[in-house]
């Protein structure tokens, strides 16, 4: 294993792929199918564009990326694992203290495969969800960023496919095919997890998705980076370095929309959403409704509050907690408890449950802490403009489909309502067809003159890789 990536091979890698001819051939067989999927389901009409992209050249924390113009189909998708840690052990669960596995332990083959397939399935799903957005981009800078996100999601798919091919034999190869066959939102063959079958119809949805849903990616990858199955841990460690940029795109994207709206409201001394819309910017209540939607569907991605799967993943040493190794406890969790919420007699109550079976809830709570900090940063733009409005995270029971709170009608402020009461307020809480139509009416064409930005979004503070904002980030040829 080297830290520098071998670009001489047809499939760039730092896993000495050339030494294992059978594996190399299997992956080379998968590669054209992947390209077929990219042409069908990747960013629409983008084949011939030269895009100013970063490409990994090393897996070291510093200096791994080079920036240059690349046609996306020529992007060097490949296999990069973070360097191995000498003497690494399994750090949690019943196998704690044993040497980390370099091969799949027989008794955990099936749950490990399931974790890898579930992770892998999200990556192409997000590309499918975003494929039309290039046609309505607010600037060349933003267009380049979505393409960067898309090629890296493609690479994350490669990361999971490598594990499936390398460690799971024929089953793994079949799963790798399945990853190219399912389709986001397809009634017959959908993606595995709920949020990845929801449409991403416009750029506000895209930024919300990369802020909220890509951050689930961060927390899940961080938990898998603790895995006792060392190849999974090392792959996820490198994926995390790419994930940071996706969340940056989301946080700054929403932040720039909020900033633009707040500035227009302050300059024109208006607060009425209809008047705000008349000026061609997105009113704050609509932004709040998008937030409510993306936050709640993303909370579902953490799985059931009480889950025997989660307990088994942890006890087996397959999936840890967020920052497992820096937590100060026994890392076995057989004696401790954790609070989960339930609805009892029409009221929300907390109860303690065994810590081992509530690991999904714990990860969800870790995640909530981090998203709250981002929402606070968005609110600063509104505060600076001197406006009283504040964006808020709804209660974690709001609009949930998975776990203890699914099936209950909980308001954003955490009250348990009847179904009728909840439905009567739905349009105030979640985006309506009318909201989507309005947002999309602002995005009817793309803005691609270098340095120009759509009216509904503020420019970013700096360009990509210290280039100016009017740099030609995409050449359309
Ligand atoms: N929708 O005990 P349960 C990312 C299923 S995002 C539909 O509740 P468990 C990215 C579950 O699969 C990160 N189904 O949950 C972001 C199970 O089905 P089976 C993706 C759901 O198993 C942006 C059943 O319900 N990575 O990387 O403890 C762009 C009962 O399961 C949902 C991972 O998720 C749902 N929301 O945990 C690009 C990590 N939730 O198997 C990329 C790997 C649950 O009984 N996955 N179900 O048929 C996992 O760790 C776990 O599978 C989950 C669920 C946390 C997802």
């Amino acid at each position: 294993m080297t830290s520098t990536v071998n670009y001489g091979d047809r499939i760039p890698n730092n896993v000495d792929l050339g030494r294992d001819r059978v594996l190399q051939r299997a992956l080379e067989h998968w590669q054209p199918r992947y390209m077929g999927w990219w042409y069908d389901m990747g960013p629409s009409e983008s084949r011939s564009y030269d895009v100013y992209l970063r490409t990994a050249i090393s897996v070291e924390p510093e200096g791994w990326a080079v920036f240059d113009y690349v046609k996306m189909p020529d992007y060097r998708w490949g296999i990069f694992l973070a360097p191995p840690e000498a003497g690494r052990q399994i750090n949690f669960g019943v196998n704690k203290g044993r040497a980390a596995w370099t091969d799949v332990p027989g008794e955990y083959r099936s749950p490990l495969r399931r974790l890898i397939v579930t992770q892998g399935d999200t990556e192409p799903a997000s590309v499918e969800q975003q494929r039309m957005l290039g046609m309505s981009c607010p600037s060349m800078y933003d267009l380049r960023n979505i393409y960067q996100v898309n090629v890296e999601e493609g690479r994350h798919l490669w990361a999971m496919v490598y594990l499936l091919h390398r460690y799971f034999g024929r089953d793994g190869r079949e799963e790798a095919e399945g990853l190219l066959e399912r389709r986001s939102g397809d009634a017959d063959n959908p993606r595995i997890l709920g949020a990845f079958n929801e449409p991403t119809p416009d750029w506000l949805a895209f930024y919300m998705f990369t802020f909220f849903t890509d951050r689930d990616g961060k927390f899940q990858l961080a938990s898998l980076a603790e895995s006792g199955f060392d190849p999974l841990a090392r792959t996820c460690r490198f994926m995390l370095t790419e994930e940071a940029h996706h969340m940056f795109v989301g946080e700054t994207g929403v932040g720039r929309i909020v900033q633009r709206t707040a500035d227009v409201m302050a300059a024109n001394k208006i607060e009425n959403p209809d008047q705000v819309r008349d000026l061609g910017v997105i009113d704050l209540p609509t932004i709040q409704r998008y937030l409510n939607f993306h936050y709640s569907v993303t909370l579902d991605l953490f799985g059931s509050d009480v889950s025997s799967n989660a307990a088994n993943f942890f006890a087996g040493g397959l999936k840890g907690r967020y920052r497992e190794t820096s937590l100060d406890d026994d890392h076995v969790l057989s004696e401790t408890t954790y609070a989960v919420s339930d609805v009892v007699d029409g009221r929300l109550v907390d109860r303690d449950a065994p810590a081992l079976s509530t690991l999904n809830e714990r990860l969800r709570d870790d995640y909530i802490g981090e998203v709250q900090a981002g929402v606070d940063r968005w609110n600063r733009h509104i505060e600076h403009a001197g406006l009283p409005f504040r964006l808020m995270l709804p209660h974690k029971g709001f609009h949930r489909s998975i776990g203890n709170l699914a099936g209950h009608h909980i308001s954003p402020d955490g009250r348990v309502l009847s179904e009728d009461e909840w439905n009567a307020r739905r349009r105030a809480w979640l985006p309506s067809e009318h909201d989507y139509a309005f947002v999309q009416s602002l995005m009817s064409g793309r803005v691609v003159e270098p340095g120009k930005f759509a009216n509904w979004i503020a420019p970013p503070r700096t360009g990509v890789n210290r280039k100016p904002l009017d740099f030609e980030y995409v050449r359309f040829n």
Side-chain angles (χ1 to χ4, degrees), residues 114-116 118-120 122-127 129-130 149 153 156 191-196 209-210 213-218 220-221 224 239 243 246 297-311 313 319 360 363 402-403:
R114 186 157 96 183
L115 281 171
I116 292 167
T118 308
Q119 177 62 51
T122 62
E123 316 289 1
S126 67
V127 176
Q129 288 169 298
Q130 296 162 14
V149 168
E153 300 302 8
H156 289 184
R191 293 294 173 183
I192 296 171
L193 298 175
F196 294 90
F209 181 95
T210 39
T213 311
D214 276 84
R215 195 175 309 275
D216 171 46
K218 169 185 166 178
Q220 299 294 349
L221 289 173
L224 295 173
M239 290 164 78
E243 205 63 54
H246 306 184
V297 297
T298 304
L299 289 186
D300 278 339
L301 290 178
F302 290 83
S304 303
D305 325 29
V306 178
S307 162
S308 57
N309 286 346
F313 295 153
K319 180 182 176 188
N360 289 340
L363 193 61
I402 300 274

Side-chain angles (χ1 to χ4, degrees), residues 45-63:
E45 291 182 28
S46 63
R47 248 184 223 214
S48 59
Y49 301 171
D50 288 308
V51 187
Y52 187 68
L53 293 178
R54 65 173 188 186
T55 304
I57 49 161
S58 141
V59 292
E60 293 304 327
E62 299 97 30

Side-chain angles (χ1 to χ4, degrees), residues 173 190 299 326 332 436:
R173 289 193 294 278
L299 289 186
S326 44
V332 180
Y436 284 122

